[in-house]
Amino acid sequence: MSSTPQAITFEQLVKECGDLYSTLQATAEKVKEDFAAMQVAVEKIIAEQEEKENQGDSGIPQGDVPEEKKEKAVPLWPMAPMVQIAVAIVEIERTHHITIVMDTTPYEFGNRAAPNQLFQVKNRTVMRKNPLEEEDPFPSASSGKPKKSAKIASGSTQVWTRQTATRRLRCKCNPAYHGDTRCQHHDKLMCMAHGIGAALAEIIWQGQPVEGVVLPDDLFA
Ligand SMILES: [Zn+2]
Ligand SMILES: [Zn+2]
């Protein structure tokens, strides 16, 4: 079968071009109309928005809001987790004995307070700790061997205080929880306690249990 295209007359070509032109023209008109309609809708939304803002402004004068308050970071959750994490570290000969106390009702006392949850860290893994089974952080001392020097530090992390980190720190602290005002960053061991607390705080924000969490290697480096 021959594939030679059918001869097309000049008149046919003109007609086809004409049809095509009309279609293009109509499409262009339609786009213009749609655009105009959209513009009207957008202007309406902007006008409504401005009206709302003006109404809001009439109640609270802008000048009453202190500058520092305006710049405070906005929490990511409407209700931040009210959990306080205290981390205590005893360092003996480069070995860290880490105890974590988690308080889920930091502002409650007596019957209203939930019992604190006790954890320890073994091989970077967070495990529950039985408060009755107190491990001896000074085994060599009690076994009569020469006493070794120990360093002790503790630091607490308030999970709900997370802010957008605006700077980097050289220590183990997480600037989202322990910025300038919360830590002097002078005590390496305390910054480590802060870093562990912050790592667990992030887990809590994700809604995950802290038990079984393997802490990142660089917190212990
Ligand atoms: Zn620090
Ligand atoms: Zn710190």
Side-chain angles (χ1 to χ4, degrees):
M1 204 159 92
S2 165
S3 63
T4 316
Q6 240 186 330
I8 187 162
T9 63
F10 182 69
E11 284 78 9
Q12 268 176 317
L13 203 62
V14 168
K15 190 187 172 294
E16 258 174 49
C17 281
D19 288 348
L20 206 62
Y21 180 77
S22 315
T23 310
L24 276 176
Q25 191 87 347
T27 306
E29 285 302 323
K30 182 85 175 67
V31 167
K32 257 194 243 172
E33 277 168 24
D34 286 353
F35 186 76
M38 191 188 76
Q39 224 166 6
V40 169
V42 166
E43 274 164 17
K44 197 175 158 224
I45 289 167
I46 290 171
E48 280 172 2
Q49 199 67 37
E50 276 174 358
E51 201 175 28
K52 259 188 219 164
E53 275 168 20
N54 288 339
Q55 279 171 355
D57 279 351
S58 64
I60 311 141
Q62 203 81 67
D64 281 3
V65 182
E67 205 54 41
E68 52 186 315
K69 247 185 189 165
K70 267 194 250 171
E71 283 176 10
K72 263 224 170 122
V74 177
L76 300 176
W77 284 23
M79 288 289 285
M82 290 300 287
V83 181
Q84 182 157 264
I85 305 165
V87 178
I89 306 173
V90 179
E91 187 188 89
I92 302 164
E93 294 201 316
R94 294 165 164 265
T95 303
H96 297 114
H97 303 266
I98 301 164
T99 304
I100 299 161
V101 180
M102 228 172 74
D103 186 355
T104 54
T105 49
Y107 290 120
E108 305 284 357
F109 299 94
N111 295 337
R112 292 168 61 100
N116 287 339
Q117 296 178 58
L118 198 62
F119 298 95
Q120 60 187 335
V121 179
K122 295 272 173 200
N123 298 321
R124 288 170 41 220
T125 308
V126 178
M127 303 174 187
R128 286 212 180 258
K129 185 177 178 176
N130 184 347
L132 302 173
E133 273 171 35
E134 195 54 61
E135 76 158 333
D136 182 6
F138 301 95
S140 61
S142 42
S143 66
K145 286 177 200 155
K147 204 172 180 182
K148 288 153 185 165
S149 67
K151 280 191 247 171
I152 300 169
S154 67
S156 75
T157 303
Q158 288 154 345
V159 178
W160 65 93
T161 63
R162 177 162 79 172
Q163 303 203 329
T164 306
T166 51
R167 57 183 292 226
R168 289 182 71 100
L169 295 169
R170 282 158 176 248
C171 59
K172 310 280 186 222
C173 286
N174 181 335
Y177 298 92
H178 301 99
D180 293 318
T181 56
R182 292 206 180 89
C183 182
Q184 298 292 310
H185 309 293
H186 291 327
D187 184 342
K188 261 182 87 173
L189 213 54
M190 186 195 274
C191 288
M192 184 178 161
H194 284 158
I196 291 169
L200 296 178
E202 291 293 294
I203 300 292
I204 291 167
W205 274 102
Q206 289 162 25
Q208 303 292 316
V210 300
E211 189 178 1
V213 162
V214 180
L215 293 163
D217 229 346
D218 56 0
L219 278 175
F220 304 93

